[in-house]
Each structure stands twice: as structure tokens, then as C-alpha cells.
């Protein structure tokens, strides 16, 4: 019995490999290492966060130079955005701030920190103005809707020798972010901010413009040219609410998609202030009342009469109240206890009549609706006949009048205001939109998936090719499968016998020493069965039926078939 040789070690097997197998194994291992390194780099890619955004070219270059000195990986994205690893954002901001970066294109009151010895009053005033402009610019750009701003201040020098001093003024240039607008309150806030930061600056002297040159602030006289954004928004809201009323009222009657309405509102945004004066008598319509009366008396003539009568309480009483008519002749005054004498008395009454004066100041409200125009189109109704065929028919006049009345009530129709409402029934044209059959490989989602997984899939494919195409064949050549050995005693005994011992091998021997095979069986019976099937197919069919049914052959087969 032979002993198997001990297999050689790995170095010996690799050294015994042919050159082609060695090259295949080396290329496969190198490809696998490259795939592993690429996958590790993709998975270990650091998460970048923005360090600064919106930097100018000058500040961005200074920040990038400082990051290069600190050996920090960075990425410069469009829009002045510098990206750094997320775990170093706050540390880098503190380090760059200590270095004075970013400096920014706008300077503030830090200009006043650097004072030279020979600085004049004009330079000090100019630096103060520049610092104030820079601080206002920083404050305005802190707003969410403002991307950039520039502030120009006109601050004349105050001189006590002039009686009339020139007042300061300001101009603000705004660059808004994409798709953003400022409402009236925000513009008023900017104007108030600038006017409050400069002494004796009137808010009317502050002009605010956008990047297109459009004036955002109101004119000094307070009247805006045209409609501003807030007025347009109010007009659109009024029209949208009226359209919503019509839709909510008519859709339950005609259907959801069977109605189209449009409302145009003429809104008056003008500020009207009227003053009226009315004059009327103080009393009723048929009476007149004096407001002012002037009485003059003149007395001339002889000596006054001597008092007569019994002295006492009667003579000491005051004279009675004169009862002189307004338009008649006045009666002469008679003192108490005194008789008439030779004297002339003249009395003049001057009465002035004035009317009641009423001054009424009326200021109309802003945003009143002057006129409404509404147009409503209703789809024709669908009618099905007895045969099941559908057709469209226009609405009757009675139905249109009912819809017209409902629309007028929903709008608050006013004939005196000149409103107009038109309701029309017409067929709606429905365009059949055919969905284009886009192939699967042209679907956007498939393109995105392929773009995201193309590199990982390619790396996996390279790894599979390297394993099954290079490494595996080389390993098979280096490590062949072991030969199976049978330990059966009978087999060993049969192999160790002499060639001419036919009994030990279990049969006769052939010319090459191999066991002789049995001769093929004669096919005479098969030929007779074929001849019988050709001569008498019915009998053969009966025999087969009998075999299938389990019947005996004598009863199932005819006499001719049993031959």
C-alpha cells in the first residue's frame, strides 16, 4: 500500500505556478486592493459645512490662504461659499476671527480707532460719516430679504452764521435676494432706521431704491406714483375672495369643473379730504334772532324837572325796565316819582343779525370699491336619451337668470355703482392629453439612480471580475484538488491480483485486460411484435388495453392474437 506525499507549503506552491498564473494572481489582488481603497474613501468622505457664505473675492482669497496655512481641507463653492469639515467649523471661525478675517467690504466705526496726529476736522467728519454709513449698511443687510445694501448720507456742515441751515438727506440702494420683495412696513422701517440714526434728518428726505432703480419709498409729498405692492396685493385679494364666493355658490349646482369665473374690481386708493361750510339761522326757519345789539341814547333840552311826590320808599325805587319794541319807536324814560319836563331824549338801537356757520371736514376711506365687473361661464349640461347616447344642451333662460341673480347677490351688486355681471352657457372643450410613453432608460428617476450607484456598481463589477477571472483560476492552479483513494479491501485485492486470474476480477477478460461485456440481446421477438402490429393493429390495441385494465390476456385478446 503506497503512502501519499505531504503537500507542499504555500510559498512552494506559488513558486511552482506558471508565469501566466502568477501574473493573473497579482493583477487580481491589485484590483481588489484598489476597489477596497476606493470604497473606503467614498464611505469615509468627511461631511462639509459652510464656514462663510456670500464672501467677496478679496475676503474669500484671504480666508482660503489662511486655511491653506492651517492645513485644513476646504471646498470653494459658487456664491462665495467656503466649505470645511463639519467638526472644525467653530474652531476655524474663532481662529479666523482672531486673525481679523473676513474683513468685509464695509467698514464701520472701527475707522475711528485709528486716529493720526495731524488729522484735520474735515477728515474726522468724513471718517465719522463713512463709519455711520457702514454701520447702517451692516444693519440693513442683516434683514432676511436684503442681500446687499449701500447707504449714502449727505450731511452738510452746520454753521452758526447762517440763518437757514441746510438739512441732511440720505439715499439707500438695496439688492434683494432672488424672488423676494419688501412690503410697505419693511420699507418704512428702513426709512425710520436711517432717519433716526442721523440728527435732524427728516424721514421725507430718505429715498430707498432697489437694484432696478425703482423707487420703493413714497414721494416727499406723501403721494405714491401708481400702485405699490401692498395695494396690488389688496386688489388681488378682493378679486380672489369674490371669485371664491361665486365658485362656492355655483359649484354644487353645476359641478366642480363646469364653472369658470373672473371678477375685476376697480378699487379707489385715493385719499380725499373735503371741507364744507353751511350757513343757517340760529332758531327755526321762520324766526330771526339777534346775536349782537348796540343801543345809543342822547338827551338835550331844558332843565330837569324837580322831583315831586311824597318822599319815602316809592321815590327811592329804581326806575322800571324799559319795554321798548325792537322795530317800533322807543318810549321816553320816566324816572320814578318824577314828572315830565321840557327836555329832548333820543335813543338809537343797532341790532346785527348773523347766521349759524357749520364747517364739516370729511376724509374718505382708502380702498373703497368703485365698480365690479364679473363674467361667469357655465358648461352645458349633459343629457342622456333613451338609447343611452349622451349629448350636451345649453342652459335655459330661466336657469341662466337664476344663476345671474345668485352671482349678483354674492358680489353685492349695486346698480348705482355701475356694476355689471354677465352669465353665459357654453360648451367646454376638453383637450385629451396623451401620456408620452417614455422608455424606461429615459426615466428621470432611473437616471438619478444610475448616476448615484454607477460608481459603486462599477467597483463591485471590477471586484467580481478580479476574483472570478484572475484570482480563482490562479488559486486553482496552485492548489489542485486531492485524488480520492479507496480503502476497500476487496478493491485492493482485486487490483493486486494477476491479470490472468479471471475469477478474482469477477468475469472473463478482454484483450486489453478489461472485463468482457455481455453480447447484445437478439431482437427477433421485437421484429415479430412489429409485424403483428402492422398486420393486426386491432389485436395489438386490445392487448394493450387489457394490460392497462389489468385483465387477463386470454379473455381480452382474440384468438388470432394469441398465436
Amino acid at each position: 500500500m503506497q503512502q501519499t506525499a505531504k503537500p507542499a507549503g504555500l510559498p512552494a506552491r506559488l513558486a511552482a505556478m506558471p508565469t501566466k498564473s502568477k501574473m493573473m494572481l497579482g493583477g487580481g489582488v491589485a484590483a481588489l486592493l484598489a476597489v477596497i481603497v476606493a470604497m473606503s474613501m467614498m464611505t469615509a468622505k468627511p461631511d462639509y459645512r459652510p464656514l462663510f457664505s456670500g464672501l467677496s473675492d478679496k475676503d474669500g482669497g484671504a480666508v482660503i490662504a489662511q486655511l491653506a496655512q492651517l492645513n485644513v481641507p476646504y471646498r470653494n463653492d459658487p456664491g462665495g461659499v467656503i466649505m470645511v469639515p463639519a467638526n472644525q467649523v467653530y474652531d476655524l471661525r474663532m481662529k479666523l476671527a482672531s486673525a481679523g478675517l473676513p474683513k468685509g467690504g464695509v467698514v464701520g466705526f472701527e475707522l475711528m480707532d485709528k486716529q493720526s496726529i495731524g488729522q484735520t476736522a474735515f477728515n474726522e467728519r468724513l471718517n465719522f460719516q463713512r463709519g455711520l454709513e457702514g454701520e447702517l449698511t451692516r444693519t440693513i443687510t442683516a434683514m432676511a430679504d436684503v442681500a446687499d445694501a449701500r447707504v449714502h448720507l449727505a450731511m452738510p456742515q452746520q454753521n452758526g452764521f447762517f440763518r437757514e441751515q441746510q438739512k441732511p438727506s440720505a439715499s439707500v440702494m438695496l439688492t434683494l435676494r432672488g424672488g423676494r420683495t419688501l412690503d410697505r412696513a419693511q420699507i418704512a422701517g428702513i426709512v425710520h432706521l436711517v432717519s433716526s440714526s442721523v440728527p435732524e434728518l427728516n424721514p421725507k428726505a430718505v429715498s430707498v431704491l432697489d437694484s432696478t432703480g425703482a423707487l420703493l419709498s413714497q414721494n416727499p409729498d406723501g403721494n405714491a406714483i401708481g400702485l405699490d405692492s401692498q395695494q396690488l396685493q389688496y386688489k388681488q385679494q378682493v378679486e380672489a375672495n369674490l371669485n371664491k364666493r361665486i365658485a362656492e355658490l355655483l359649484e354644487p349646482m353645476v359641478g366642480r369643473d363646469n364653472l369658470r369665473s373672473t371678477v375685476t374690481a376697480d378699487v379707489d386708493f385715493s385719499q380725499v379730504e373735503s371741507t364744507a361750510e353751511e350757513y343757517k339761522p340760529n332758531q327755526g326757519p321762520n324766526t330771526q334772532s339777534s346775536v349782537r345789539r348796540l343801543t345809543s341814547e342822547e338827551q338835550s333840552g331844558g332843565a330837569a324837572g324837580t322831583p315831586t311826590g311824597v318822599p319815602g320808599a316809592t321815590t327811592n325805587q329804581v326806575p322800571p325796565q324799559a319795554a321798548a319794541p325792537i322795530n317800533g319807536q322807543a318810549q321816553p324814560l320816566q324816572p320814578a316819582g318824577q314828572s315830565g319836563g321840557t327836555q329832548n331824549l333820543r335813543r338809537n338801537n343797532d341790532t346785527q343779525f348773523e347766521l349759524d356757520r357749520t364747517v364739516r371736514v370729511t376724509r374718505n376711506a382708502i380702498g373703497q370699491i368703485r365698480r365690479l365687473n364679473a363674467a361667469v361661464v357655465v358648461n352645458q349640461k349633459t343629457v342622456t336619451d333613451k338609447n343611452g347616447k349622451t349629448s350636451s344642451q345649453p342652459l335655459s333662460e330661466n336657469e341662466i337668470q337664476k344663476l345671474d341673480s345668485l352671482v349678483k347677490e354674492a358680489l353685492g351688486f349695486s346698480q348705482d355703482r355701475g356694476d355689471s355681471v354677465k352669465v353665459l352657457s357654453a360648451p367646454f372643450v376638453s383637450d385629451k392629453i396623451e401620456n408620452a410613453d417614455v422608455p424606461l432608460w429615459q426615466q428621470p428617476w432611473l437616471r438619478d439612480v444610475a448616476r448615484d450607484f454607477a460608481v459603486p456598481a462599477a467597483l463591485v463589477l471590477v471586484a467580481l471580475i478580479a476574483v472570478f477571472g484572475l484570482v480563482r483560476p490562479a488559486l486553482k492552479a496552485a492548489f489542485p484538488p486531492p485524488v480520492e483513494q479507496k480503502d476497500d479491501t476487496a478493491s485492493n485485492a482485486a487490483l493486486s491480483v494477476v491479470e490472468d486470474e479471471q475469477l478474482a476480477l469477477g468475469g472473463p477478460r478482454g484483450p486489453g485486460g478489461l472485463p468482457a461485456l455481455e453480447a447484445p440481446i437478439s431482437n427477433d421477438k421485437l421484429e415479430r411484435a412489429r409485424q403483428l402490429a402492422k398486420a393486426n393493429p386491432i389485436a395489438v390495441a386490445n392487448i394493450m388495453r387489457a394490460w392497462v385494465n389489468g385483465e387477463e390476456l386470454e379473455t381480452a385478446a382474440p384468438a388470432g392474437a394469441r398465436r
Side-chain angles (χ1 to χ4, degrees):
M1 193 172 181
Q2 297 179 358
Q3 295 181 356
T4 58
K6 186 177 181 180
L10 179 62
R13 289 178 179 269
L14 295 178
M17 290 174 56
T19 306
K20 181 179 180 180
S21 299
K22 292 180 180 179
M23 294 178 63
M24 292 174 59
L25 181 61
V29 172
L32 285 177
L33 291 178
V35 171
I36 293 173
V37 171
M39 295 293 290
S40 61
M41 291 178 62
M42 291 181 60
T43 55
K45 187 176 181 180
D47 184 17
Y48 280 85
R49 296 291 179 86
L51 179 64
F52 296 109
S53 59
L55 294 178
S56 61
D57 296 339
K58 182 178 180 181
D59 291 337
V63 171
I64 289 175
Q66 190 68 23
L67 292 177
Q69 292 180 1
L70 297 175
N71 294 326
V72 176
Y74 63 89
R75 191 175 65 196
N76 189 10
D77 292 347
V81 180
I82 298 178
M83 309 288 289
V84 295
N87 56 352
Q88 301 181 11
V89 172
Y90 301 103
D91 295 339
L92 290 176
R93 286 180 181 176
M94 297 181 66
K95 292 179 180 179
L96 294 176
S98 62
L101 295 175
K103 296 181 179 179
V106 180
V107 293
F109 283 132
E110 59 268 15
L111 282 175
M112 308 300 295
D113 298 337
K114 300 178 181 179
Q115 298 289 340
S116 60
I117 298 177
Q119 190 173 13
T120 61
F122 175 77
N123 292 333
E124 291 181 355
R125 186 170 64 253
L126 185 60
N127 290 337
F128 175 77
Q129 181 176 345
R130 289 181 58 193
L132 184 57
E133 290 176 351
E135 295 295 332
L136 289 174
T137 301
R138 292 175 179 175
T139 306
I140 294 173
T141 52
M143 299 177 64
D145 298 335
V146 179
D148 193 9
R150 293 195 65 182
V151 180
H152 303 278
L153 299 178
M155 303 173 63
Q157 183 179 0
Q158 302 296 332
N159 194 343
F161 295 99
F162 295 103
R163 180 176 299 176
E164 295 182 359
Q165 301 291 340
Q166 188 177 1
K167 300 298 182 181
S169 60
S171 300
V172 181
M173 185 75 173
L174 300 178
T175 302
L176 303 180
R177 300 186 185 276
R180 303 291 185 89
T181 57
L182 297 179
D183 55 9
R184 183 180 297 179
Q186 292 174 320
I187 297 172
I190 295 175
V191 172
H192 184 73
L193 172 67
V194 176
S195 62
S196 302
S197 302
V198 180
E200 298 183 1
L201 178 57
N202 194 342
K204 296 181 179 180
V206 179
S207 300
V208 181
L209 292 85
D210 61 0
S211 57
T212 61
L215 182 64
L216 302 179
S217 60
Q218 295 184 354
N219 292 333
D221 55 357
N223 298 326
I225 300 176
L227 300 180
D228 57 5
S229 59
Q230 188 174 5
Q231 293 175 351
L232 290 175
Q233 184 178 4
Y234 175 77
K235 183 176 180 295
Q236 293 173 0
Q237 289 179 355
V238 170
E239 295 175 351
N241 290 334
L242 296 176
N243 275 321
K244 185 178 179 181
R245 289 184 186 178
I246 297 174
E248 291 178 352
L249 186 62
L250 299 185
E251 278 184 355
M253 301 174 58
V254 298
R256 181 180 181 86
D257 296 330
N258 296 326
L259 175 69
R260 296 293 185 272
S261 62
T262 302
V263 178
T264 303
D266 186 5
V267 184
D268 185 11
F269 293 102
S270 60
Q271 298 180 358
V272 179
E273 182 177 349
S274 60
T275 303
E277 295 185 7
E278 298 179 358
Y279 296 90
K280 61 181 181 179
N282 291 332
Q283 305 298 327
N286 299 326
T287 58
Q288 295 181 355
S289 175
S290 60
V291 178
R292 184 181 302 172
R293 178 184 299 174
L294 179 62
T295 304
S296 61
E297 297 183 359
E298 182 180 356
Q299 186 176 2
S300 62
T306 58
T308 58
V310 180
T314 305
T315 58
N316 293 332
Q317 292 180 357
V318 295
Q321 185 177 0
I326 296 176
N327 298 326
Q329 185 178 1
Q331 298 293 334
L333 298 177
Q334 294 290 339
Q338 182 178 2
S339 61
T342 58
Q343 60 180 355
N344 294 326
L345 181 61
R346 183 179 178 184
R347 182 178 181 181
N348 296 327
N349 293 328
D350 188 5
T351 303
Q352 295 181 359
F353 296 93
E354 293 186 1
L355 301 178
D356 186 11
R357 180 169 176 254
T358 302
V359 179
R360 183 179 293 106
V361 179
T362 304
R363 180 175 296 175
N364 296 335
I366 303 176
Q368 292 184 351
I369 298 176
R370 290 186 294 193
R371 186 179 179 182
L372 289 176
N373 297 327
V376 181
V377 181
V378 182
N379 191 11
Q380 294 183 355
K381 57 184 179 180
T382 304
V383 180
T384 306
D385 56 6
K386 297 180 180 180
N387 299 327
K389 185 178 180 181
T390 59
S391 61
S392 59
Q393 294 182 1
L395 300 179
S396 61
E397 290 293 334
N398 188 16
E399 293 175 343
I400 292 178
Q401 289 179 2
K402 291 181 180 179
L403 296 178
D404 185 76
S405 301
L406 291 176
V407 172
K408 288 181 179 180
E409 292 296 331
L411 294 178
F413 181 82
S414 176
Q415 188 68 32
D416 298 336
R417 196 169 53 189
D419 298 347
S420 64
V421 175
K422 184 65 176 178
V423 179
L424 181 64
S425 177
F428 286 6
V429 178
S430 58
D431 297 334
K432 295 182 180 180
I433 302 175
E434 297 180 356
N435 296 328
D437 295 335
V438 182
L440 181 61
W441 60 86
Q442 294 182 0
Q443 295 289 341
W445 64 270
L446 185 59
R447 293 182 178 179
D448 296 338
V449 171
R451 189 181 301 109
D452 295 337
F453 294 96
V455 176
L459 293 177
V460 172
L461 182 60
V462 170
L464 294 175
I465 293 174
V467 170
F468 292 100
L470 300 177
V471 178
R472 186 178 179 182
L475 293 178
K476 282 186 176 182
F479 300 94
V483 179
E484 296 182 359
Q485 297 181 359
K486 296 182 179 180
D487 295 336
D488 192 5
T489 308
S491 300
N492 295 333
L495 293 174
S496 61
V497 296
V498 188
E499 293 181 358
D500 53 350
E501 294 181 356
Q502 298 180 357
L503 295 176
L505 293 176
R509 306 292 297 180
L514 298 176
L517 298 178
E518 185 180 358
I521 302 174
S522 176
N523 55 356
D524 295 338
K525 297 180 180 180
L526 181 60
E527 290 296 333
R528 290 198 299 269
R530 289 176 180 174
Q531 292 177 3
L532 178 60
K534 292 180 181 180
N536 195 355
I538 298 176
V540 176
N542 292 332
I543 293 172
M544 297 299 296
R545 187 182 299 110
W547 287 350
V548 171
N549 296 332
E551 300 177 358
E552 293 186 3
L553 186 61
E554 289 80 4
T555 59
R562 291 193 295 268
R563 290 182 301 174

